Amino acid sequence: MMPIQRLDFSVTFNKLLTLANYFLALSVIGFGLAIIASYPLANALTLPAQITAHISSLVFATLLKISYVIRCLCQYNLGMEVR
């Protein structure tokens, strides 16, 4: 009978953590730009551009939340402090 090997997911979680951090930074920057385009620059933009800015703020906020949850899950599974 062959012994059961325990799978080591630490490499996968490290790669996923790096990817989650990248998307977290990207979503914060994108969300900030979308908010700036939606409100302070609204008078300088056309109506379709304003609509796009408002919709993109929702998309970037969603990406931010998903990235943060993935980051927390990776940190937890790697035995790191979840923050």
Side-chain angles (χ1 to χ4, degrees):
M1 184 183 259
M2 294 180 57
I4 298 174
Q5 291 183 343
R6 186 167 183 237
L7 296 175
D8 185 21
F9 289 108
S10 63
V11 173
T12 304
F13 282 120
N14 277 323
K15 288 180 183 178
L16 191 58
L17 180 61
T18 302
L19 194 62
N21 286 333
Y22 172 75
F23 278 109
L24 192 61
L26 180 71
S27 63
V28 167
I29 292 168
F31 184 67
L33 292 174
I35 293 299
I36 290 170
S38 296
Y39 297 104
L41 298 178
N43 292 333
L45 299 175
T46 63
L47 186 59
Q50 289 179 30
I51 293 169
T52 303
H54 278 83
I55 292 172
S56 65
S57 68
L58 295 172
V59 171
F60 282 119
T62 303
L63 181 63
L64 189 139
K65 292 173 187 179
I66 292 170
S67 300
Y68 183 72
V69 169
I70 292 172
R71 182 179 187 270
C72 289
L73 287 171
C74 289
Q75 286 178 328
Y76 175 77
N77 284 306
L78 290 170
M80 301 168 76
E81 178 184 355
V82 178
R83 44 188 168 108

